[in-house]
Amino acid sequence: MPHTEREELRPEKIEQLLLLPGGHAPLWNHMDSIGPVGLQQGEGTPGCPQDSLLCPSDSSELVQDCLQQFKVTEPQLQQIQTSLLGSMEQALGGQTSPAPAVRMLPTYVGSIPHGTEEGDFVVLELGATGASLRVLWVTLTGTEGHSMEPQSQEFVIPQEVMLGPGQQLFDFAACCLSKFLDTLPVGNQGLQLGFSFSFPCHQTGLDRSTLISWTKGFRCSGVEGQDVVQLLRDAIQRQGAYNIDVVAVVNDTVGTMMGCEPGLGPCEVGLVVDTGTNACYMEEARHVAVLDEDRGRVCVSIEWGSFGGDEALGPVLTTFDRTLDLESLNPGAQSPSDGAARMHTILQDLGLSVGALDAKIVQHVCMAVCTRAAQLCAAALAAVLFRLQHSREQQMLQIAVATGGQVFEQHPRFLSVLQETVMLLVPECDVSFIPSVDGGGRGVAMVTAVAARLAAHRRLLEETLADFRLNREQLAVIQAQMRKAMDKGLRGEASSLRMLPTYVRATPNGSERGDFLALDLGGTNFRVLLVRVATGGVQITSQVYSIPEYVAQGSGQQLFDHIVDCIVDFQQKQGLSGQSLPLGFTFSFPCRQLGLDQGILLNWTKGFSASDCEGQDVVCLLREAIRRRQAVELNVVAIVNDTVGTMMSCGYEDPHCEVGLIVGEEGPALFTSMPDVNSLSPVDSSGTGTNACYMEELRNVVGVAGDSGHMCINMEWGAFGDDGSLGVLSTCFDASVDQASINPSKQRFEKMISGMYLGEIVRHILLHLTSLGVLFRGQQTQRLQTRDIFKTKFLSDIESDSLALRQVRAILEDLGLPLTSDDALMVLEVCQAVSQRAAKLCGAGVAAMVEKIRENRGLEELTVSVGVDGTLYKLHPHRRTDLAKVQPWSLLLPAVLPRWPMSEESLGICWTRAWNSLVSSQPSHPRLPG
C-alpha cells in the first residue's frame, strides 16, 4: 500500500472507525470477552488475523491498513530473536561500545528451590503492581504437595509519595510493613524478609542493589544510584517496631521464576508481562564477565523492556507505537513487547456509541495488537531458550518457564499465541509454561528461604571438610614424624617405615644400549614390554594383560604360571620365540631384597592374596614357573619395585633425579602442592597404591656392608602411620574406608593418599552429607550405597577446569545420582578437599626425604629432581603450568629446590626396568647424580 495511504491512518483517524459508548471499561480488559469472531490463523505466523474483513468498502481499506501494520512475519521474528541474542551475548561479555540494548544484570540468585525449604518469611513487593505495594507472610512447609496460603495486604501508594523524596517512599513502605505485622502473632521473633524491587538495578550481592533508574511512573528523588536495601533497612530501623533482617532483594521476574510449585521440574526462566515486561533465566556463571566466576549458575535479569532502542524493532513499529512513545515518560528508552497496552491507550476514551460493525472492527484491532505482542514476546523468549539449549549442548532442551503479570492472568489468548510462536522459532526446545503463585510473592519468599538453606548447608559442609584442610603446622608435624620413622627404619629398629635396601647403587648415565624385556606387575593389570635402547633413542613395544580376581586371590603357582603364559604370548607376537633376553621384573609389592635379583615378599597389598607367596623369593617363584612352562628361555636378572623404576627412568634424562614417587590413580589436585615444576613424568601404568624411594648414604643403611657410596632405599611408605602416628589426622571417613578394606589398620598413609581409596573416602563423605540433608535433597539412593562407585577417574574429571558445570553434573548423573547444580558444586568441593589433603600429605613426605638428602651431604642448599609416576599425570587438567599454586615446599623446605622431570617418551617407568637389567649385566659404572 502506498506510503501516503499509511500516513493518513493517524491515531485521531481511528475515531471514525472505532466507537465505544462512554463509561465502558477499557478495551484491553475486554479483548478476550469479545472473542475471535471472524478471525483465522494467517499463513505466516501463529495467531495473525486474516487479511480480508467484512467491512463496507469505504472503510475496509483503512481497517486493512491498520491491521497490516501489526502483522509480523516469521523472518521478522527470527531477526528480532537474533538481534536480542547478540545483545545478550554482548552485555554478558561486558562489552560497552556500542552499548548493548539489554543490561543482563546478575541477581546473585545462584540456586533454584528443590522443595525442602521451610519456615516463615516476610515479603515486601514494591513496583510489581504499579502504584501500590504488597506485604506477604509466607509459610513454607518443606514438603512437596503441602503448601499454605500466604497472608497478604496491599497498600496504595499516593501520587505524592511516588514523585516525592526517596526517604518518604521507604518510610511509607516500613510503615505499611509494621501495620501488616501488627495483625499477626509475631512477637519478638527475628524475621527474614525478601524485598521485591521491580525496577532496573545493579546488584553487587544478594542483599545489595543500586537503583539505576526509575520506571513505571516513579520518580522519587535521592534514590537513583543508592542501595535500595540499605534505604529499606534504615527505614525499618527508624520505624523500630520489629526485628527484621532483609536477606535478599529481587525483582518481580526473579520472584516469578522462583515461585514455581515444586515437583514440576526445574524452572529456570521467568517471564513477566504486566505494566512492563522482563525476563530472567539461569545462566552459567562463567559467561557473566562481571562475576569473574567459573563455577555454578546465576540468575540473570535481562531487562529487555528497553530492547529496540537500537532500532532493532524498527520494521515492526507502527505510527501508533511512535505516538505512544513520544507521549511516554521516557521517549525512546522503553520499547516493550506489550503492544496491547499501547493500543488500549489509543482507543480507551473515544466515548461514542458502538454499532455491530464497529464492534467487529474493534475486535479485530484488539486481536491484532494482542497477537503481535505475544509474537514479539515469543521472539525474545526464543532468544533465551536458544542460548540455554546451545550453551548446555542439549539436542532437546526441556525447561519450564514461569509466567507472571496481568496479561497472562486476564488474556489466555496471549499465552496460546506465545506458545505457538515459541514452538515455531525454537522447535528443539520442549517448553512448559507455569503460572506464578501469588504474583511472584511466594517466589520472593523462596529466594529468601533458598539463601537461608544454602547458608545452613555451607556451614555443615565446612564443618565436615574442616579436618581435610591441613595447615602448615600439621604438615610440619607429619614431616617430622616421617623423618623420625625413616631414621628408626634405617637403624633396623621397629618403625612403620621398612626402609628396605634395593641394591640399586647408581642411576643410569645415558650410555646403556641393548634389547630387553620388562615385566611390570603392580595391580590387576600388568604389562610385558620389549625395550630397545639405542643411540637414536628408546623404542618401546608393550602389551597389557589382565589378572582375573580368582587368579590374584588363588594359589601362588597359578598366579606365576599365568604371568609366564602372558610373557610367552608376547614373545610369540613379537617374533622373539627362542631368544634369551635379559628381563627386568618390576614387582610393586613390599619386598625385602637380599640382592639385585632376590626379593622376599613381605605381604600382599592392592587386593592380592595369592597363597604360598609371602615370605618367598618372588624371583624364584617366577623362575620356577618358567621351568614348568618348558622350552621357554627367560633370563631374570633384576627385580625392582615401580618406585625405583620411576627414579631410574627419570635419571636417564636428569642426573639430579634421586627420588622416586608413585601415586597410583590419583586425582588432579595432588601435585598442586609442588613448586618449581619444570616438567612432570607421566607414565602408562595403572598402579593403585603409593610409595617412595630415594638415594641414601650407604653408611646409614644397617645390614648392608660398606661405608661409602649410595643405596636406593625403598621406603614402603604406604604403611606410615600404622603405629598410630596418623591418628590425629584420621577422620571418621578414613576409619570407615579402612575397616571395609581387605587389610584393616594397615597401609594407613596409602589409604589417605592413593587413588585406590580416595573415591571411597569421597563416597562416605557424600553419604554423610546426604544424611544431613545437604546433598540430593536428603534422599539416600541405592547407587550411593554401592562400594567403589567413585573411581579416581571421576574425581579427576570432576576437578578439571575445562569442564562446565553441566559436564560435572553429567558425570554424576551417569553414576545414577540425581542432583541439582548446587549438589554438583558441593560434590566438586568434596573431591577437591580430599585430593588436596592427599597432595599435602604426599608433599610433607617428600619434604622429609629430600631434607634428609640435604643434611646427609652437609649442603646449605640442595637441587634435587623427583621422578613421579601414576595416572595422575595422564589425567591432570593443568599438567605443568598450574602445579605450583599451593606450596608447602616454601614453608617446609626453604633450603631445597625440587624439580619434577618428565621423560619425553612418557613411558619412563617401562624402559627403566630394562636399564636395571642392563646395569646388572654389564661392567660399566653409571654415574651418580650430584
Side-chain angles (χ1 to χ4, degrees):
M1 190 169 292
H3 180 71
T4 54
E5 295 183 358
R6 292 182 61 92
E7 194 65 32
E8 295 175 2
L9 193 63
R10 287 188 282 266
E12 60 270 18
K13 188 73 172 178
I14 300 298
E15 295 186 10
Q16 303 173 16
L17 304 174
L18 307 174
L19 307 178
L20 290 178
H24 277 209
L27 284 174
W28 176 246
N29 293 332
H30 291 279
M31 281 197 291
D32 286 297
S33 62
I34 294 173
V37 178
L39 188 66
Q40 300 179 9
Q41 296 287 336
E43 296 181 359
T45 53
C48 291
Q50 187 173 329
D51 287 343
S52 60
L53 293 171
L54 298 176
C55 301
S57 58
D58 59 348
S59 60
S60 61
E61 289 188 6
L62 289 176
V63 173
Q64 292 284 1
D65 187 39
C66 171
L67 297 181
Q68 187 68 25
Q69 292 187 66
F70 289 93
K71 185 174 180 179
V72 185
T73 65
E74 182 178 348
Q76 288 174 327
L77 293 175
Q78 291 172 338
Q79 179 57 42
I80 292 170
Q81 174 187 348
T82 301
S83 179
L84 180 60
L85 184 62
S87 293
M88 290 170 61
E89 293 176 350
Q90 179 185 355
L92 286 172
Q95 182 177 339
T96 58
S97 180
V102 291
R103 290 194 174 99
M104 304 301 290
L105 304 176
T107 67
Y108 294 85
V109 172
S111 177
I112 59 176
H114 61 39
T116 63
E117 293 78 12
E118 57 183 340
D120 296 320
F121 302 92
V122 182
V123 174
L124 174 63
E125 292 182 339
L126 178 59
T129 54
S132 65
L133 63 81
R134 189 168 67 134
V135 185
L136 300 91
W137 179 273
V138 181
T139 299
L140 303 175
T141 63
T143 305
E144 293 187 13
H146 294 81
S147 60
M148 299 179 62
E149 285 294 323
Q151 302 177 59
S152 66
Q153 185 175 353
E154 190 163 348
F155 299 87
V156 176
I157 304 175
Q159 185 73 10
E160 61 271 18
V161 174
M162 294 176 61
L163 303 177
Q167 181 173 323
Q168 182 181 12
L169 172 65
F170 285 94
D171 283 342
F172 177 80
C175 179
C176 295
L177 184 60
S178 295
K179 288 181 180 179
F180 173 75
L181 294 176
D182 288 342
T183 65
L184 302 174
V186 174
N188 295 323
Q189 72 180 89
L191 302 174
Q192 292 182 309
L193 181 142
F195 184 21
S196 174
F197 190 73
S198 303
F199 301 92
C201 288
H202 172 62
Q203 279 194 252
T204 55
L206 190 60
D207 63 345
R208 298 187 302 275
S209 186
T210 302
L211 176 64
I212 296 175
S213 61
W214 284 115
T215 57
K216 306 176 184 179
F218 283 76
R219 286 185 176 177
C220 296
S221 61
V223 181
E224 293 181 351
Q226 300 298 312
D227 181 359
V228 295
V229 174
Q230 191 58 50
L231 293 176
L232 178 60
R233 284 172 174 159
D234 293 343
I236 292 173
Q237 187 173 7
R238 285 193 295 270
Q239 192 71 24
Y242 292 95
N243 179 21
I244 300 174
D245 178 23
V246 184
V247 175
V249 57
V250 298
N251 62 28
D252 54 343
T253 317
V254 179
T256 296
M257 182 189 75
M258 296 290 283
C260 279
E261 287 284 358
L264 296 173
C267 180
E268 299 186 86
V269 180
L271 172 61
V272 170
V273 184
D274 202 290
T275 54
T277 181
N278 192 21
C280 67
Y281 71 101
M282 297 300 293
E283 175 64 82
E284 301 295 323
R286 69 182 187 278
H287 294 155
V288 185
V290 297
L291 293 182
D292 195 26
E293 293 282 346
D294 58 3
R295 296 286 186 183
R297 290 175 180 167
V298 64
C299 180
V300 171
S301 177
I302 302 175
E303 298 297 330
W304 71 14
S306 60
F307 177 70
D310 61 351
E311 296 302 318
L313 296 179
V316 298
L317 291 178
T318 69
T319 55
F320 309 105
D321 298 314
R322 302 184 191 281
T323 299
L324 180 64
D325 180 50
L326 291 174
E327 295 174 355
S328 66
L329 290 174
N330 48 355
Q334 299 279 117
S335 298
S337 59
D338 184 2
R342 292 194 292 273
M343 197 60 182
H344 163 218
T345 302
I346 297 173
L347 301 177
Q348 64 179 348
D349 293 322
L350 297 181
L352 299 175
S353 60
V354 179
L357 185 59
D358 297 326
K360 285 190 176 183
I361 294 174
V362 170
Q363 173 195 18
H364 286 296
V365 171
C366 291
M367 284 298 178
V369 172
C370 180
T371 297
R372 186 190 66 162
Q375 291 171 340
L376 295 180
C377 191
L381 180 60
V384 176
L385 298 173
F386 180 87
R387 176 170 179 79
L388 287 174
Q389 185 222 347
H390 283 263
S391 66
R392 299 180 184 182
E393 296 182 6
Q394 297 180 3
Q395 291 185 348
M396 175 62 71
L397 175 69
Q398 291 186 324
I399 197 165
V401 176
T403 60
Q406 295 184 21
V407 174
F408 286 106
E409 295 170 5
Q410 299 179 11
H411 309 292
R413 176 168 176 76
F414 186 93
L415 178 58
S416 65
V417 175
L418 177 71
Q419 290 174 311
E420 294 172 9
T421 310
V422 166
M423 289 176 60
L424 175 71
L425 296 176
V426 279
E428 305 86 0
C429 298
D430 181 10
V431 187
S432 57
F433 292 84
I434 305 171
S436 65
V437 179
D438 303 313
R442 182 179 182 276
V444 179
M446 193 63 74
V447 172
T448 309
V450 168
R453 168 174 62 81
L454 292 178
H457 287 180
R458 168 54 54 183
R459 288 192 297 271
L460 291 171
L461 180 66
E462 290 299 326
E463 291 172 4
T464 300
L465 299 181
D467 290 339
F468 289 87
R469 308 193 193 282
L470 305 182
N471 57 36
R472 173 183 177 179
E473 289 72 22
Q474 290 171 308
L475 294 175
V477 169
I478 295 298
Q479 179 189 3
Q481 288 177 336
M482 183 166 284
R483 176 62 185 274
K484 182 178 179 181
M486 290 170 65
D487 291 338
K488 291 174 67 176
L490 287 172
R491 293 194 299 265
E493 300 173 7
S495 171
S496 60
L497 295 177
R498 290 193 172 101
M499 306 301 288
L500 305 173
T502 66
Y503 293 87
V504 172
R505 301 171 184 265
T507 55
N509 64 6
S511 64
E512 296 79 9
R513 302 288 182 269
D515 294 346
F516 312 92
L517 286 176
L519 172 62
D520 179 11
L521 175 61
T524 54
N525 292 326
F526 77 99
R527 291 175 301 161
V528 183
L529 306 98
L530 171 63
V531 183
R532 301 182 188 275
V533 184
T535 304
V538 179
Q539 179 182 353
I540 301 173
T541 305
S542 67
Q543 184 166 344
V544 176
Y545 295 90
S546 64
I547 300 180
E549 184 176 357
Y550 72 88
V551 174
Q553 299 178 4
S555 68
Q557 180 174 321
Q558 183 182 22
L559 172 62
F560 282 91
D561 284 347
H562 177 74
I563 292 171
V564 173
D565 288 342
C566 295
I567 296 174
V568 172
D569 176 76
F570 179 78
Q571 284 184 305
Q572 293 173 347
K573 291 179 178 178
Q574 299 302 320
L576 300 175
S577 299
Q579 296 186 40
S580 179
L581 296 178
L583 183 144
F585 185 15
T586 298
F587 189 73
S588 303
F589 299 91
C591 286
R592 181 175 298 280
Q593 283 195 245
L594 306 178
L596 194 58
D597 63 346
Q598 292 177 282
I600 307 300
L601 174 64
L602 298 177
N603 59 274
W604 285 116
T605 58
K606 309 175 187 178
F608 280 69
S609 60
S611 61
D612 302 321
C613 293
E614 293 181 352
Q616 302 297 314
D617 182 354
V618 293
V619 175
C620 288
L621 294 177
L622 180 60
R623 286 170 174 165
E624 289 171 3
I626 293 171
R627 284 195 294 268
R628 285 194 297 271
R629 191 63 163 76
Q630 298 181 1
V632 176
E633 295 187 26
L634 292 172
N635 180 22
V636 185
V637 297
I639 178 173
V640 296
N641 68 18
D642 52 353
T643 318
V644 178
T646 298
M647 182 190 72
M648 297 289 282
S649 67
C650 294
Y652 186 76
E653 296 285 340
D654 187 340
H656 294 288
C657 186
E658 300 185 70
V659 178
L661 175 63
I662 295 291
V663 188
E665 295 190 0
E666 178 42 63
L670 187 62
F671 285 91
T672 55
S673 301
M674 311 301 189
D676 304 320
V677 179
N678 296 329
S679 57
L680 301 173
S681 181
V683 292
D684 213 8
S685 72
S686 57
T688 54
T690 180
N691 195 16
C693 69
Y694 72 103
M695 297 302 292
E696 177 61 81
E697 301 298 312
L698 187 59
R699 66 178 183 273
N700 295 331
V701 184
V702 173
V704 179
D707 293 327
S708 63
H710 299 81
M711 172 69 73
C712 179
I713 297 297
N714 170 21
M715 293 179 63
E716 290 297 335
W717 81 357
F720 174 62
D722 287 0
D723 57 0
S725 57
L726 285 177
V728 67
L729 296 183
S730 181
T731 68
C732 60
F733 311 110
D734 296 306
S736 297
V737 172
D738 176 59
Q739 288 302 310
S741 67
I742 64 174
N743 55 348
S745 301
K746 296 181 179 179
Q747 300 294 108
R748 301 302 296 269
F749 196 56
E750 179 173 275
K751 290 172 182 174
M752 300 172 80
I753 288 180
S754 75
M756 186 175 184
Y757 303 98
L758 295 189
E760 270 298 278
I761 296 174
V762 167
R763 186 179 71 87
H764 280 278
I765 296 174
L766 300 187
L767 282 171
H768 173 69
L769 292 174
T770 303
S771 70
L772 296 177
V774 175
L775 285 177
F776 313 129
R777 300 179 178 87
Q779 300 173 0
Q780 296 283 0
T781 64
Q782 186 60 41
R783 187 67 170 160
L784 196 57
Q785 304 285 342
T786 305
R787 185 177 174 182
D788 295 325
I789 183 179
F790 271 90
K791 304 298 182 185
T792 301
K793 176 183 183 298
F794 296 136
L795 271 69
S796 300
D797 290 344
I798 287 170
E799 293 184 66
S800 172
D801 285 347
S802 64
L803 289 189
L805 184 61
R806 59 176 176 76
Q807 293 167 303
V808 174
R809 290 187 62 177
I811 291 170
L812 298 173
E813 287 169 351
D814 285 345
L815 295 176
L817 300 176
L819 75 165
T820 64
S821 296
D822 295 328
D823 292 333
L825 286 173
M826 288 192 178
V827 171
L828 169 65
E829 195 163 343
V830 170
C831 293
Q832 289 174 333
V834 172
S835 291
Q836 287 171 4
R837 183 189 68 164
K840 292 178 179 181
L841 288 174
C842 194
V846 174
M849 285 189 293
V850 298
E851 179 69 354
K852 189 172 193 314
I853 296 174
R854 186 188 68 81
E855 291 182 5
N856 283 343
R857 300 177 186 176
L859 300 175
E860 292 185 3
E861 185 175 280
L862 171 71
T863 297
V864 65
S865 296
V866 181
V868 190
D869 180 20
T871 47
L872 156 69
Y873 298 103
K874 292 185 293 182
L875 302 176
H876 201 292
H878 305 288
R879 202 144 172 118
R880 305 184 190 183
T881 56
D882 294 335
L883 298 184
K885 291 182 178 178
V886 184
Q887 300 186 14
W889 294 101
S890 60
L891 305 176
L892 302 177
L893 297 174
V896 177
L897 300 176
R899 298 185 301 178
W900 311 85
M902 178 173 65
S903 167
E904 291 301 321
E905 288 76 11
S906 298
L907 288 167
I909 193 171
C910 304
W911 37 278
T912 194
R913 287 47 185 281
W915 291 338
N916 281 285
S917 301
L918 180 61
V919 169
S920 66
S921 62
Q922 68 177 24
S924 63
H925 299 283
R927 68 169 183 245
L928 284 170

